[in-house]
Amino acid sequence: MSRDSVQPPRAVPWSPPWRRAAVFVALAALLGAVLTVLDSAKAGADPVGAGSYTTTAPGPLPSGCADLSTDPRHWVTANAPSGAVPTNDWWSSILWKRTNCAYGEPLFAQPLGFRAGSEGLGVSYSTRPTVSGSGKGVGEYHFEYKEDFVAGVSGLAAPEVKVDGWSDWTVSPYLSDGAHTLRATIGSGLPFAYFRATGGDARIKAASGATVDVWSHSGSTLGYSVDGHDYVAFAPAGATWSVSGSTFTSSLAGKDYFSVAVLPTTPSTSAADRTALADAYAEYAHDPVTGTAVSYRYDEAKSTVTTTYRFTTDALEGSATGTVAALLPHQWRHLSDGSPLPQTYVSSRGPLKVLTGVTSFTTTMDFHGVLPEIPAVADSSGADAATLRDYLNAEKADPTRQVSDDTYWTGKGLGRAARLAEIADQTGDTEVRDAALSAIKSKLTDWFTASPGKTGRLFYYDGEWGTLIGYPASYGSDQELNDHHFHYGYYIAAAATLARFDPTWADADHYGGMVDLLIRDADNYDRTDERFPFLRDFDIYAGHDWASGHGSFAAGNNQESSSEGMNFDNALIQWGIATGNKAVRDAGIYMYTTQAAAIEDYWFDVHDQVYPEGFQHKGVGMVWSNGGAYSTWFSSAPEQIQGINLLPVTGGHLYLGDNPAHVRANYQEMLDQAGRTQPGIWPDIWYEYRALGDGDAALADFRAHSSLTSEEGESKAHTFHWIRNLAALGTVDTGVGADSPLSAVFVKSGERTYVAANTTATDSTVHFSDGTAVRVPAGKTVTAGAYTWSGGSAPGGTSPTPTPTPTETASPSPSPTPSPTGGTGSSPTLYPDEDGTLTGTAGPAGSVTVASADGVNHDGTPYKPTTFTATGLDLGYVDGQTRFDLAVDAQNAVANGPQAQVSYDCTGDGTWDRVETYRYFATDPVTGWEHYTDRAGTSSTTGTACDLRNGTVRVKVWNAIGSAPTVLGTGERSVLRLPYS
């Protein structure tokens, strides 16, 4: 749920007011920290570094049907896991009852739905959605709970349901009347429901009035249909089922277990195929799932996220292991292993594909990167620059400009200020940057400090509920534990921006520990930390967040603003990188990548496979457990129904532009639904979104309507900066990845711009998957390709240095290497210099001329070569091959073909022990740098590799064909990487 003129850069390190008089500040900080600890103790608060939280509740606490404010484990049995109870899950309503105080609301697990009652656990397989609403601005669909049968125990009359256990995507409801018990294990993606029963016969009772057909009755297995849905009930070996009308019972042969599975059949499924499916499922009927767990791995080099979903099973009889799993679209689209059955289940999330006999399955997804902010590649002079400067200056007095003092609106204000700080830093406006950073630091420090007598702007930790609540609360963030990821994502993102410029503030001894508590509260990434539930807001199997803490609705749980959920995930990535915490970074990348895939299917249905026939919209404002709705909690305006899944607009929301055609279609639907030619509400959000699909059109819209009123978390400075630069960059290009999380690629008119940011204190080089390398100094954002630009300031306070925009259209940037230590250096990474040497340090960008081939074919034979040499090299050969990236430009010459040869003299005796000649590279007749790399492949190789001991390496570059010279980039423009160390 949600509401949702430039000052010259300083030539000295940034020194905001709080960093002046360093000695005095350090002493004052030390004294302040001591006093904070003492004051916190008096206030009933716990210190966390220099910050603190209170342990005395200043406001309302979570509440439900029972006295949950003091006993959240009221409906938890003694067998359940220790630690904080889960909330914000698909099954939360039976743990935290808000309306039906005995049994909770329906639970939608996909493909099955469940509802507890006095006689047992009701089961539903809904295949016919209800689609309601017509016309503009309305519409929703639901696969409603329609009970097919109740699985229970003869004589059971349980007064309430409790929770006997849970794992990452399963739960075990428990029903007892003292004489009879039923324990079930159900889970997301499980076609099976597993039961343990005592005190009577197992009983399956079809719903009153249902059409029931028993199609297989043989020993311990019973095949039956209820209203056309095919099920199989499995009793232990040696047991039988008795059929009496629409009620089936079994003594279970003196044992206590049975299971029921729904089959992925349709009315057109043949009897033979149905029987074959029943036989296939039977193999796993008595191998119940006892636990589930997710693990994930981010491969930085490949920019992929590998997620493994594991099932623990317990074979009660037979030798089979594994279970049956129904995969959601965001999973089967990225499945790395296993072959699904041809049959699929119907669900509110589209078709579910089935794996049998699995103990685990794995998905692999591409992570496309995030940015602190869109780079300022557009012209830094002229009228637009003056306009941006004026917009920035207008924010200097109040960068946060929040509308309320609660956690949500404070967060929105912090997010607003963070965007201003990033833009001002890029453009060299240090006064606005410092004002925004000062406002962020002041507000965060205030909220992260619990002082005596303070009842607002602080956080309270409740050890019973395992949660951190900010007061003043809003939108049920206190009594219902709603929206914590929405609210706290803004805080964490703003802290990540502040950490770049004031790393001391962000360290664990100061306020970093409080940021970490906010992260752990919303989505605890550490399984061993029982203070908070593991990944509270994130539904591991569904692939996205849930906003409601209790989930007590007839339609299950819900989430409105998927984009604010992604804001939290992006915040973790930015904070983790800025503070060097890879566990936080990787948790953010896992949730971000997974949720982006889920949003694509469930909020936007870009593949047109999820929404049922009759639902006419291209997206939903809210996803429910059993469907979706073109609506919000707060507005019926199409601009806000669709727009709530677009804000906030940040460098972490580029996923919204992964499909530019969908952006354009979604924008047009909003106008059609609103009956307008321009958005009447949140026009800035919509123009920013439109820019991801058509930047030029969005910029024209903004220029024509620049008197708009900004959305509460936005500013005209950010809106103009975003649109203006996207109009230059083009649209997101997901076809190229990078080995850095802070990266992106854009394309316009076939020309790519590569963007990489570095928020750490160490220089780096980012390698893109198409071979482009971009060198990124500490604290900078750098682009290469169609636009070559650099801006930003180093971490810890170095002020930005403006960089003039070069005229060339591409600029390969090699990896930084240590300075040479002898001869021309013993570095395996070398750079060609204009003086003909290869050096271990990248010099300034320059160029030399490679002579024409004079119209003769010199393929394979150097002709008038330009030569670069390194001597005195002491390096050991490692397995691999020579790599190079040479910047070449034939300008307007047609049919030139530069060629390279790399030679190794292992001992410096004048004999070339190995010579590698590479195929020539056909240049284009367009002015601008191109990349000639080792990917061209070798045309010939002689000799063998050997260690270099006072060795020599030589590179010759010549034109193999052509009638004109070619320009070759030197210094940092070109690089040679030897397979040596």
Side-chain angles (χ1 to χ4, degrees):
M1 298 182 219
S2 176
R3 350 331 66 180
D4 274 21
S5 89
V6 174
Q7 297 296 319
R10 301 175 184 174
V12 296
W14 174 55
S15 181
W18 68 78
R19 297 193 67 186
R20 296 171 186 159
V23 174
F24 173 78
V25 171
L27 291 174
L30 177 61
L31 178 59
V34 172
L35 292 176
T36 295
V37 172
L38 295 175
D39 286 345
S40 296
K42 294 176 184 177
D46 283 3
V48 182
S52 55
Y53 58 84
T54 182
T55 52
T56 302
L61 290 172
S63 61
C65 293
D67 188 11
L68 295 182
S69 62
T70 58
D71 184 14
R73 301 182 77 90
H74 179 84
W75 281 293
V76 173
T77 72
N79 295 326
S82 61
V85 297
T87 64
N88 302 75
D89 219 327
W90 63 272
W91 55 269
S92 292
S93 75
I94 62 167
L95 178 66
W96 181 353
K97 301 178 179 70
R98 296 278 299 183
T99 49
N100 185 332
C101 294
Y103 306 109
E105 298 294 336
L107 312 177
F108 298 94
Q110 316 295 348
L112 291 172
F114 303 93
R115 186 166 194 171
S118 63
E119 297 182 341
L121 187 66
V123 179
S124 166
Y125 176 42
S126 181
T127 57
R128 298 181 182 89
T130 299
V131 180
S132 60
S134 61
K136 295 180 178 179
V138 295
E140 59 186 290
Y141 72 92
H142 295 280
F143 287 75
E144 296 174 347
Y145 180 84
K146 184 178 183 299
E147 197 160 276
D148 285 339
F149 62 90
V150 174
V153 181
S154 295
L156 176 64
E160 62 185 12
V161 63
K162 292 193 174 185
V163 177
D164 201 50
W166 57 77
S167 66
D168 280 5
W169 58 91
T170 66
V171 65
S172 293
Y174 179 80
L175 294 156
S176 174
D177 60 9
H180 313 80
T181 68
L182 180 76
R183 185 188 192 271
T185 296
I186 56 178
S188 295
L190 291 184
F192 272 98
Y194 304 97
F195 299 96
R196 305 300 286 260
T198 67
D201 291 347
R203 187 181 73 166
I204 296 172
K205 183 180 179 181
S208 176
T211 300
V212 180
D213 174 42
V214 175
W215 47 266
S216 177
H217 187 186
S218 177
S220 62
T221 302
L222 180 71
Y224 62 97
S225 301
V226 181
D227 286 342
H229 304 143
D230 292 330
Y231 294 92
V232 186
F234 301 95
T240 60
W241 288 97
S242 297
V243 177
S244 177
S246 59
T247 301
F248 321 130
T249 59
S250 175
S251 66
L252 305 179
K255 301 183 176 64
D256 69 347
Y257 56 87
F258 70 102
S259 65
V260 179
V262 64
L263 300 181
T265 55
T266 69
S268 62
T269 301
S270 69
D273 286 345
R274 181 174 61 184
T275 299
L277 282 168
D279 291 342
Y281 278 44
E283 190 172 355
Y284 313 103
H286 302 306
D287 195 21
V289 173
T290 57
T292 56
V294 73
S295 62
Y296 52 84
R297 181 175 62 87
Y298 166 54
D299 187 326
E300 191 164 352
K302 296 180 181 178
S303 195
T304 57
V305 174
T306 301
T307 304
T308 300
Y309 301 81
R310 290 186 172 84
F311 302 84
T312 302
T313 60
D314 180 19
L316 300 178
E317 58 183 65
S319 58
T321 59
T323 191
V324 180
L327 278 59
L328 279 68
H330 80 278
Q331 295 169 326
W332 55 253
R333 291 190 201 284
H334 303 278
L335 185 65
S336 304
D337 55 3
S339 298
L341 298 178
Q343 298 88 353
T344 60
Y345 288 103
V346 175
S347 84
S348 62
R349 297 294 170 263
L352 309 183
K353 295 191 177 184
V354 185
L355 295 175
T356 59
V358 294
T359 56
S360 69
F361 67 88
T362 300
T363 63
T364 301
M365 299 178 177
D366 292 329
F367 170 60
H368 299 304
V370 297
L371 295 173
E373 186 52 66
I374 291 290
V377 298
D379 184 16
S380 59
S381 61
D384 279 353
T387 298
L388 178 60
R389 187 163 59 241
D390 290 343
Y391 284 152
L392 284 169
N393 284 338
E395 304 295 343
K396 188 162 50 180
D398 186 12
T400 58
R401 197 184 299 177
Q402 63 193 65
V403 300
S404 176
D405 205 27
D406 60 51
T407 48
Y408 180 73
W409 291 104
T410 296
K412 293 272 284 188
L414 288 166
R416 186 179 192 276
R419 302 276 59 75
L420 291 168
E422 296 284 2
I423 295 168
D425 184 57
Q426 281 191 9
T427 57
D429 193 333
T430 55
E431 289 191 10
V432 173
R433 179 196 65 190
D434 294 359
L437 292 170
S438 295
I440 291 170
K441 180 173 182 178
S442 175
K443 285 187 182 293
L444 287 178
T445 303
D446 185 15
W447 275 87
F448 291 166
T449 304
S451 56
K454 190 178 183 184
T455 58
R457 298 193 304 278
L458 81 172
F459 288 92
Y460 158 75
Y461 176 71
D462 189 297
E464 296 293 331
W465 277 96
T467 188
L468 196 71
I469 303 172
Y471 294 91
S474 53
Y475 308 106
S477 61
D478 50 357
Q479 291 183 285
E480 300 180 349
L481 300 188
N482 298 338
D483 300 1
H484 282 203
H485 56 316
F486 291 168
H487 299 203
Y488 300 169
Y490 290 105
Y491 285 70
I492 300 159
T497 292
L498 181 59
R500 288 182 51 204
F501 300 94
D502 194 350
T504 299
W505 181 94
D507 66 34
D509 291 336
H510 292 81
Y511 294 94
M514 286 298 297
V515 177
D516 190 62
L517 281 181
L518 265 62
I519 294 171
R520 290 173 185 261
D521 172 74
D523 280 304
N524 182 15
Y525 56 92
D526 181 1
R527 286 188 186 273
T528 67
D529 180 5
E530 292 192 346
R531 294 174 299 170
F532 304 96
F534 179 62
L535 297 183
R536 180 200 304 276
D537 290 326
F538 190 75
D539 187 318
I540 292 165
Y541 206 85
H544 59 78
D545 307 312
W546 291 120
S548 171
H550 55 75
S552 292
F553 302 93
N557 213 321
N558 73 90
Q559 174 151 285
E560 191 178 64
S561 183
S562 59
S563 49
E564 285 184 300
M566 291 290 276
N567 188 52
F568 178 90
D569 302 339
N570 172 55
L572 266 60
I573 300 170
Q574 306 281 357
W575 172 260
I577 293 171
T579 61
N581 190 326
K582 286 191 175 183
V584 169
R585 180 200 70 172
D586 291 357
I589 291 173
Y590 153 67
M591 290 189 291
Y592 182 98
T593 306
T594 306
Q595 189 155 218
I599 292 167
E600 182 180 86
D601 270 319
Y602 314 137
W603 271 263
F604 296 141
D605 192 17
V606 300
H607 302 286
D608 197 24
Q609 292 179 305
V610 174
Y611 299 162
E613 185 177 353
F615 185 76
Q616 300 299 317
H617 297 285
K618 297 184 183 301
V620 295
M622 301 173 66
V623 162
W624 286 92
S625 293
N626 74 353
Y630 191 82
S631 63
T632 72
W633 288 103
F634 63 95
S635 173
S636 61
E639 296 97 324
Q640 293 177 302
I641 292 172
Q642 294 174 238
I644 195 59
N645 286 290
L646 308 181
L647 59 81
V649 179
T650 78
H653 288 75
L654 297 176
Y655 72 93
L656 290 168
D658 284 356
N659 188 329
H662 178 78
V663 171
R664 296 189 291 271
N666 198 29
Y667 182 81
Q668 187 59 49
E669 185 189 15
M670 174 274 298
L671 294 179
D672 292 344
Q673 291 294 315
R676 298 175 179 272
T677 58
Q678 292 290 325
I681 306 172
W682 293 350
D684 48 349
I685 299 297
W686 279 104
Y687 294 158
E688 289 170 296
Y689 174 67
R690 190 182 192 187
L692 291 166
D694 187 342
D696 292 328
L699 184 58
D701 282 343
F702 179 84
R703 292 190 194 281
H705 304 280
S706 59
S707 60
L708 58 81
T709 299
S710 294
E711 186 268 338
E712 292 88 348
E714 265 297 347
S715 65
K716 285 188 181 178
H718 178 249
T719 300
F720 185 50
H721 169 88
W722 177 275
I723 297 172
R724 177 169 167 257
N725 286 292
L726 276 180
L729 292 164
T731 56
V732 175
D733 183 353
T734 59
V736 179
D739 61 0
S740 167
L742 299 183
S743 61
V745 181
F746 299 89
V747 62
K748 185 172 185 179
S749 302
E751 293 292 323
R752 283 176 173 151
T753 299
Y754 305 84
V755 186
N758 183 358
T759 58
T760 74
T762 305
D763 294 354
S764 66
T765 296
V766 175
H767 302 91
F768 290 84
S769 59
D770 65 352
T772 302
V774 180
R775 183 168 174 266
V776 195
K780 298 284 188 177
T781 295
V782 174
T783 72
Y787 287 90
T788 304
W789 171 89
S790 175
S793 58
T798 302
S799 55
T801 302
T803 304
T805 303
T807 57
E808 55 266 25
T809 59
S811 180
S813 300
S815 302
T817 58
S819 299
T821 56
T824 54
S826 290
S827 170
T829 304
L830 301 170
Y831 307 88
D833 203 336
E834 293 178 5
D835 64 3
T837 62
L838 292 167
T839 68
T841 304
S847 63
V848 294
T849 299
V850 179
S852 166
D854 295 328
V856 178
N857 188 321
H858 299 287
D859 184 10
T861 304
Y863 174 75
K864 298 181 181 178
T866 299
T867 304
F868 304 92
T869 306
T871 61
L873 297 175
D874 293 296
L875 296 166
Y877 173 73
V878 295
D879 189 28
Q881 66 185 75
T882 305
R883 302 286 186 187
F884 62 81
D885 186 345
L886 305 178
V888 294
D889 181 10
Q891 299 179 329
N892 296 319
V894 177
N896 271 17
Q899 191 165 24
Q901 184 182 79
V902 182
S903 304
Y904 294 89
D905 174 357
C906 296
T907 60
D909 63 358
T911 300
W912 298 108
D913 300 284
R914 179 175 175 82
V915 179
E916 302 167 352
T917 303
Y918 291 80
R919 296 187 182 95
Y920 67 77
F921 175 74
T923 56
D924 63 31
V926 179
T927 299
W929 295 113
E930 297 179 83
H931 295 277
Y932 174 27
T933 75
D934 56 274
R935 292 187 180 183
T938 56
S939 60
S940 67
T941 301
T942 62
T944 58
C946 48
D947 292 342
L948 297 173
R949 297 293 177 257
N950 194 36
T952 300
V953 173
R954 182 186 68 190
V955 177
K956 288 185 175 181
V957 183
W958 70 98
N959 274 308
I961 57 174
S963 301
T966 297
V967 179
L968 172 68
T970 59
E972 64 179 18
R973 287 198 172 111
S974 296
V975 63
L976 172 71
R977 295 187 179 90
L978 310 179
Y980 288 81
S981 62

